[in-house]
Amino acid sequence: MIWNKEAECMSREEMTALQSERLVRLVKYVYDNVEFYRRRMDAAGVKPEDIHGIEDITKLPYTTKDDLRDTYPFGLFAAPHSDIVRIHASSGTTGKATVVGYTAADLDVWAECVARCLSMAGVTRNDIIQVAYGYGLFTGGLGAHYGAERVGAMVVPMSTGNSKKLTTMMVDFGATAIACTPSYLLHLSEVLRDNDMLDKIKLRTAICGAEPWTDKMRTDIEGRLGISAHDIYGLSEIMGPGVACDCEYHSGLHICEDHFYPEIIDPKTLEPVADGETGELVFTTLTKEGIPLIRYRTKDLTSIRRGVCECGRTSVRISRFSGRSDDMLIIRGVNVFPSQVEAALIEVEEVTPHYMMIVDRENNLDTLEIQVEIDKKYYTDEIRGIERLTKKIAGVIQGALGINAKIKIMGPGSLKRSEGKAVHVIDNRKLI
Ligand code: DLL
């Protein structure tokens, strides 16, 4: 195990002192290097000299995903482009992605944080780990990859997709660990079972995240595969996977709080809530150079717990996530906003703005159907015309969301109109 005891088992006083020192440095850094923050802080009447320690954090303004979108692509970068060595991106609320940049030092911190999380899941240099998060702009693949290399494990960079190949290699290589989404791991357990391979695997531990899941689902996965499964959390804006993870006691996710300072607020009043109460998680990146964020509203709902864990770590813990305060969906590990579908459909002349997204789960894989209402002008019951239009819309949606959706063309006026706020999503997935 690589336990960074110095960071993970600090006394509260030491941690507060470290966070305070880092916050003071961060605030000066962003004020000097990011015009957006200089303006925001000026507008809020707060200067770097007003921040003396972590207790002053509430004087600082919040940052949101919209701020990233409005400054697309690089407006919030604090380091010069010549110092940025990697870019990642995730879905924005409409057409534009939110883009994040890392300096070499940021990548080093990231690998360290993921390595801490993998160590919580019991991964060591003796493990063979299949990384089955997507590699590419999504942070999951490369994030888990470099963390696993930092631990010294043997990394198999599978990425997502080919379950047959993955399960065959799992057996042939004797993989002992896997990093992937929990729903995909459930699916893999079925592929293994259907191919009589369950008793041939050497899997011991799994590091699952990037989408909501439950303790019941964890114990289900553990029972089916005879492994221990761990919950890893993160978001690209803050870093990627590795912001927090749960240890063998599964009593909350330990935050790497020497790098990410957490607050829980009421999403309506924006006031802090008491420990143990559910609210929106907010992070300040204490050490990031590429794109440091102050009081970033994650929209993820959770509660915070303090006190020493049975494992010995002293870091603040968050509970399993109970949802989001916005309408973001996670479909096959990909973040999807209904507004992205809306923005994409506007480009298709033949359809009206009425649409419905139906999300479901078949064999533990998410499915998305989008019902789209055709404009009266273009309505025809000619099959070939409908097929052509279906294909066209599927292409537009794939381009906008990055995932395939089944498109169902509906006749004019056939989608139910809502009397209040329009309902665009039916999510039939039941988190067991
Ligand atoms: O999902 C990073 C990641 C990759 C985390 C691999 C864990 C493993 P984004 O694509 O930016 O980044 O999506 C971030 O996903 O705000 C949550 O809503 C959700 N999410 C991530 N991990 C968990 C989790 C990656 N363990 C968004 N439980 C976040 C529940 C999660 N939701």
Side-chain angles (χ1 to χ4, degrees):
M1 288 237 212
I2 59 149
W3 255 60
N4 185 340
K5 292 225 160 136
E6 213 181 291
E8 295 180 85
C9 304
M10 249 182 231
S11 73
R12 209 33 31 210
E13 294 70 33
E14 285 169 325
M15 182 59 83
T16 305
L18 181 68
Q19 290 171 331
S20 292
E21 181 200 315
R22 289 183 167 174
L23 181 70
V24 170
R25 202 183 324 135
L26 167 80
V27 171
K28 184 163 173 7
Y29 176 63
V30 296
Y31 193 85
D32 290 345
N33 292 289
V34 188
E35 194 193 337
F36 167 89
Y37 276 121
R38 193 160 51 247
R39 287 204 186 158
R40 268 282 160 95
M41 285 172 58
D42 286 347
V46 49
K47 291 262 175 276
E49 308 79 81
D50 300 329
I51 306 300
H52 304 286
I54 207 76
E55 66 285 358
D56 291 325
I57 199 161
T58 51
K59 294 180 183 165
L60 295 164
Y62 290 108
T63 312
T64 63
K65 209 175 182 80
D66 281 345
D67 295 327
L68 278 153
R69 197 191 61 195
D70 296 344
T71 53
Y72 173 88
F74 304 141
L76 290 187
F77 284 20
H81 287 191
S82 53
D83 286 349
I84 301 288
V85 295
R86 172 105 63 85
I87 291 289
H88 281 285
S90 77
S91 322
T93 41
T94 52
K96 294 252 160 80
T98 53
V99 181
V100 289
Y102 303 75
T103 64
D106 291 336
L107 291 183
D108 189 54
V109 169
W110 189 9
E112 152 76 21
C113 292
V114 175
R116 286 186 202 173
C117 294
L118 294 174
S119 300
M120 282 183 222
V123 177
T124 72
R125 63 195 310 279
N126 298 320
D127 279 292
I128 299 176
I129 179 168
Q130 289 184 300
V131 175
Y133 290 117
Y135 279 64
L137 285 175
F138 177 54
T139 53
L142 289 169
H145 183 105
Y146 286 107
E149 282 193 354
R150 180 64 58 92
V151 172
M154 186 196 292
V155 186
V156 190
M158 299 301 310
S159 196
T160 45
N162 196 334
S163 310
K164 186 77 191 60
K165 186 164 160 192
L166 190 150
T167 47
T168 304
M169 286 186 170
M170 185 185 279
V171 172
D172 294 349
F173 297 177
T176 49
I178 187 163
C180 63
T181 60
S183 57
Y184 189 53
L185 190 52
L186 268 181
H187 174 71
L188 289 176
S189 74
E190 277 159 14
V191 176
L192 287 164
R193 185 200 56 203
D194 296 346
N195 291 289
D196 292 324
M197 289 158 93
L198 269 178
D199 57 351
K200 298 192 181 73
I201 59 169
K202 298 228 167 67
L203 210 59
R204 235 171 23 77
T205 186
I207 305 90
C208 300
E211 66 183 14
W213 56 314
T214 58
D215 253 333
K216 165 88 179 47
M217 206 161 145
R218 173 174 67 79
T219 46
D220 194 19
I221 289 174
E222 291 180 334
R224 286 179 188 213
L225 292 167
I227 62 170
S228 76
H230 297 261
D231 191 4
I232 186 166
Y233 168 77
L235 60 165
S236 58
E237 296 91 319
I238 295 305
M239 180 177 75
V243 173
C245 190
D246 67 347
C247 66
E248 69 268 36
Y249 293 96
H250 302 294
S251 54
L253 286 74
H254 292 274
I255 295 179
C256 294
E257 53 162 333
D258 47 335
H259 296 291
F260 313 108
Y261 182 77
E263 297 172 82
I264 306 281
I265 61 164
D266 178 324
K268 292 213 173 71
T269 64
L270 306 188
E271 290 299 323
V273 305
D275 287 355
E277 264 180 44
T278 298
E280 183 182 323
L281 181 60
V282 170
F283 275 118
T284 298
T285 64
L286 295 172
T287 51
K288 249 168 73 172
E289 297 178 343
I291 175 167
L293 295 179
I294 289 186
R295 305 190 85 199
Y296 183 73
R297 292 186 57 190
T298 66
K299 307 278 170 141
D300 290 317
L301 300 176
T302 182
S303 60
I304 221 164
R305 182 193 316 182
R306 296 172 206 278
V308 184
C309 178
E310 277 182 84
C311 70
R313 290 178 181 84
T314 54
S315 41
V316 158
R317 278 167 284 164
I318 41 176
S319 57
R320 204 177 264 288
F321 291 89
S322 58
R324 289 185 54 91
S325 63
D326 66 3
D327 57 357
M328 187 180 94
L329 299 156
I330 302 180
I331 304 175
R332 270 172 261 143
V334 176
N335 301 349
V336 174
F337 290 93
S339 50
Q340 286 175 281
V341 172
E342 204 159 309
L345 290 178
I346 286 172
E347 291 176 20
V348 185
E349 204 183 319
E350 297 91 331
V351 302
T352 69
H354 302 289
Y355 67 95
M356 183 65 88
M357 300 167 66
I358 297 159
V359 194
D360 221 320
R361 203 161 258 182
E362 276 166 31
N363 299 327
N364 295 303
L365 295 179
D366 294 337
T367 59
L368 169 64
E369 174 178 301
I370 305 179
Q371 301 179 343
V372 186
E373 208 179 277
I374 195 165
D375 191 291
K376 241 204 247 122
K377 256 200 320 224
Y378 295 96
Y379 188 61
T380 160
D381 35 23
E382 184 223 333
I383 298 286
R384 275 198 30 230
I386 291 181
E387 272 176 3
R388 210 177 310 125
L389 183 57
T390 306
K391 226 170 157 189
K392 174 174 169 185
I393 299 173
V396 170
I397 293 291
Q398 157 70 34
L401 307 184
I403 54 171
N404 288 320
K406 182 175 162 216
I407 306 297
K408 193 164 172 194
I409 305 281
M410 311 290 284
S414 60
L415 282 177
K416 196 166 167 258
R417 306 295 191 255
S418 82
E419 286 168 8
K421 209 166 136 50
V423 178
H424 288 301
V425 180
I426 299 173
D427 194 342
N428 290 324
R429 292 174 295 185
K430 301 251 173 319
L431 284 186
I432 47 163

